[in-house]
Amino acid sequence: MLLWFVILYLMISVGIGLLAATRVHSAKDFAVAGRSLPLPVVTATVFATWFGAEAVFGVSSTFVTEGLTGVVADPFGSSLCLVFAGILFSRYLYKLNIITLGDFYRMRYSRSVELLTTICIVASYLGWVAAQIKALGLIFFVLTDGAISQQMGMILGSLIVLTYTTFGGMFSVAFLDFVQMAVSMGGLLFIAWTVSGKVDGGAPAIIDHARLAGKLDFFPEPDLLKWVAFIGTGMTMMLGSIPQQDVFQRITSAKSEKVALSGSIFGASIYFCFTFVPMFIAYSAILIDPAVFNPLLDADSQLMLPTLVLQYTPLVAQVLFFGAVLSAIMSCSSATLLAPSVTFAENVIRGFRPGMKDREFLWVMRLTVVGFTLLVLVFALNTNASIFHMVESAYKVTLAGAFVPLIAGILWKRATTQGALAAIIGGLLSWLMIELLIADGSGASAGIYAYALIGDDAVPPQLIGVCVSALGMVLGSLLPQKIGHKVPGRPLHELRHHAASQTHHVSSRHHHHPH
């Protein structure tokens, strides 16, 4: 019965996505929903940016094992990211009327900077989308009691999300986000209410138990290096996620600058508050049946939530839970499949074939979605990393290589192409060298859990990378120019004039100029 309800829900979701696809008539519609989304839809789609597999399974299981200190990256860092991105993108980039962040890097710096940052952005999505695909496989495995393997579940989930994303683009993503946000919040709140009733003393007793166990302690011990590691982990998501195409698309799909800013702040606030619901549900499992869930905590903590729901809640709660979880994961995975595909098509393929007509370019983006989905599926099938660490690791590359050129390009008039290239190359090389050296020295696989060791404590390599990147930007911009512009950069108001003097290759534009 539960499986049939889930199948029905999936069919309805795909139907809504394909219905929204009828509104796609151009590449701009596909990439940023024609810049027409109202405030409720923008709020929902910003909320859905992070509310996926890592929020439901990854963050909740990490909280149970490590407490609030272990989840500084998400939801604390990720929520602040959405607020900062909303301010930057709505105030500074919205009027440029561009469809990717790569367009900004090209306009502000050069084609070479565009290519390098685009590669960073696209690469960062590999682990992020793979985490969503792994979660879909986990859901199908649990729902069918093992009849569908996790690997087959990943393939099935990828095909479902790919179907409506390929045709509907950002319109499908946005409308499904709006529907699925309501399903996710309603379903998980009902589960939280149900499981709290199974513990003597209810919700207050669960929260008090977590407090006494030290799970609500947020800040690390008063040790300098531990604080550096703590801040670095938070910065990875908070700052490294700002130069991300899916965040940019969701915010700039709004119908106005005001809606873009308000939607990002509302969406971030709702996300931050609501992420504590899965944490609460997962922690309650330990109190409901320690004999079952303590061993599971050591074996695979990501299975705690689905096991709790299947074994200790009625059918209606199970239907709501799996509907909510599928909503969250599908919302997140569809947008994160779309974002790198649009970026690669616009800023890599388009650069080599600038004469493409809009209709042809639309199909190039769709084919890129298919190609990226296959790449992610292969990666997901061949990695053993946890969902949380896959997501946390995804944004190291953009923090080290793309963050500084974006912020400097927006806020520092003297930033130049030479400075941007120094920032990208210096940040990436320093981060990668430390990751690889520590991976060789400690045996950590592929550097996923690698840290730059200082004594017995650790400084995250990506924090060193972003510091080197900032130094490269300053020195490269202030030293005599050998690459790119001979003058100190182009401020944003000049970029707006430059954009107004040209007809964009996606659609006609109408700019409002400050002068």
Side-chain angles (χ1 to χ4, degrees):
M1 182 67 73
L2 172 61
L3 184 58
W4 282 110
F5 273 119
V6 171
I7 291 172
L8 177 63
Y9 176 76
L10 289 172
M11 292 173 64
I12 292 172
S13 296
V14 172
I16 294 172
L18 293 177
L19 183 63
T22 60
R23 301 188 63 173
V24 176
H25 304 294
S26 68
K28 188 175 181 180
D29 290 340
F30 187 84
V32 289
R35 294 198 163 207
S36 61
L37 300 182
L39 180 60
V41 179
V42 175
T43 300
T45 197
V46 169
F47 167 83
T49 303
W50 302 128
F51 200 75
E54 78 296 338
V56 178
F57 296 120
V59 173
S60 60
S61 62
T62 302
F63 169 75
V64 173
T65 55
E66 301 178 27
L68 285 182
T69 305
V71 295
V72 61
D74 191 6
F76 293 92
S78 54
S79 299
L80 286 171
C81 160
L82 294 175
V83 174
F84 294 152
I87 295 170
L88 287 171
F89 295 158
S90 64
R91 181 175 179 182
Y92 296 105
L93 300 188
Y94 188 89
K95 285 184 179 179
L96 293 178
N97 207 11
I98 52 181
I99 66 172
T100 69
L101 280 172
D103 290 341
F104 170 76
Y105 288 114
R106 183 186 66 251
M107 294 169 65
R108 180 66 174 84
Y109 300 113
S110 67
R111 170 68 175 160
S112 57
V113 174
E114 174 192 18
L115 282 173
L116 288 173
T117 51
T118 296
I119 292 170
C120 289
I121 292 169
V122 171
S124 71
Y125 279 96
L126 195 59
W128 172 259
V129 188
Q132 315 308 313
I133 300 302
K134 282 179 72 74
L136 286 172
L138 179 68
I139 291 297
F140 285 116
F141 175 77
V142 172
L143 276 174
T144 60
D145 198 22
I148 295 178
S149 67
Q150 292 198 39
Q151 291 76 16
M152 186 56 65
M154 292 182 204
I155 296 171
L156 183 60
S158 299
L159 289 174
I160 292 170
V161 175
L162 178 64
T163 300
Y164 64 81
T165 307
T166 302
F167 290 99
M170 194 61 200
F171 267 122
S172 289
V173 169
F175 282 106
L176 269 173
D177 284 349
F178 186 70
V179 174
Q180 291 170 339
M181 176 183 173
V183 175
S184 299
M185 295 182 71
L188 288 171
L189 285 171
F190 181 78
I191 296 293
W193 176 76
T194 302
V195 298
S196 65
K198 295 182 178 296
V199 177
D200 291 338
I206 297 170
I207 295 170
D208 194 52
H209 188 281
R211 180 183 61 80
L212 293 174
K215 301 299 182 183
L216 302 186
D217 296 337
F218 179 62
F219 295 107
E221 299 173 17
D223 180 276
L224 177 60
L225 290 176
K226 288 182 178 178
W227 269 90
V228 171
F230 176 78
I231 293 170
T233 303
M235 283 178 60
T236 301
M237 286 285 280
M238 178 169 52
L239 303 182
S241 304
I242 291 177
Q244 286 295 326
Q245 178 63 20
D246 66 316
V247 176
F248 176 79
Q249 280 179 219
R250 291 174 187 273
I251 293 172
T252 56
S253 293
K255 65 181 182 180
S256 68
E257 290 180 62
K258 184 177 179 181
V259 169
L261 178 59
S262 301
S264 62
I265 293 174
F266 291 155
S269 302
I270 296 171
Y271 172 77
F272 177 77
C273 295
F274 198 73
T275 308
F276 287 93
V277 176
M279 293 187 215
F280 173 84
I281 297 171
Y283 194 82
S284 68
I286 298 176
L287 303 184
I288 292 173
D289 196 339
V292 171
F293 290 103
N294 281 333
L296 195 60
L297 189 62
D298 297 327
D300 189 352
S301 58
Q302 294 172 158
L303 285 171
M304 289 184 64
L305 266 182
T307 303
L308 171 68
V309 173
L310 282 173
Q311 295 186 9
Y312 297 91
T313 62
L315 177 63
V316 62
Q318 294 174 25
V319 171
L320 287 172
F321 173 76
F322 285 104
V325 169
L326 284 169
S327 293
I329 296 170
M330 289 168 64
S331 294
C332 206
S333 55
S334 58
T336 47
L337 280 175
L338 179 67
S341 304
V342 168
T343 299
F344 189 80
E346 163 78 356
N347 301 114
V348 177
I349 298 176
R350 185 93 199 198
F352 293 107
R353 291 198 59 191
M356 275 192 291
K357 294 181 180 179
D358 186 75
R359 199 70 184 170
E360 183 184 359
F361 183 53
L362 175 58
W363 280 104
V364 166
M365 285 197 287
R366 284 173 167 158
L367 290 173
T368 309
V369 172
V370 175
F372 191 75
T373 304
L374 293 175
L375 179 64
V376 166
L377 181 58
V378 170
F379 180 74
L381 290 170
N382 291 280
T383 182
N384 294 319
S386 72
I387 291 171
F388 183 80
H389 282 103
M390 287 175 72
V391 170
E392 189 180 24
S393 299
Y395 297 110
K396 293 179 181 179
V397 60
T398 44
L399 178 62
F403 174 73
V404 170
L406 175 66
I407 299 302
I410 292 173
L411 301 177
W412 192 33
K413 292 182 180 181
R414 299 186 67 181
T416 65
T417 298
Q418 180 171 280
L421 290 172
I424 297 166
I425 296 169
L428 289 176
L429 285 180
S430 58
W431 163 64
L432 283 172
M433 284 175 61
I434 296 169
E435 289 273 15
L436 294 174
L437 286 172
I438 299 304
D440 290 340
S442 64
S445 60
I448 290 176
Y449 304 104
Y451 288 93
L453 300 182
I454 302 179
D456 294 326
D457 295 294
V459 177
Q462 66 272 17
L463 183 59
I464 297 174
V466 75
C467 291
V468 173
S469 181
L471 182 63
M473 171 59 77
V474 173
L475 293 178
S477 296
L478 296 181
L479 288 174
Q481 298 296 298
K482 303 297 182 181
I483 303 172
H485 305 295
K486 302 299 182 183
V487 294
R490 290 175 292 177
L492 278 181
H493 71 273
E494 291 184 17
L495 288 182
R496 290 173 184 148
H497 283 293
H498 173 73
S501 67
Q502 299 179 341
T503 300
H504 193 273
H505 48 255
V506 172
S507 63
S508 59
R509 297 174 163 212
H510 302 280
H511 293 271
H512 303 282
H513 303 292
H515 304 302

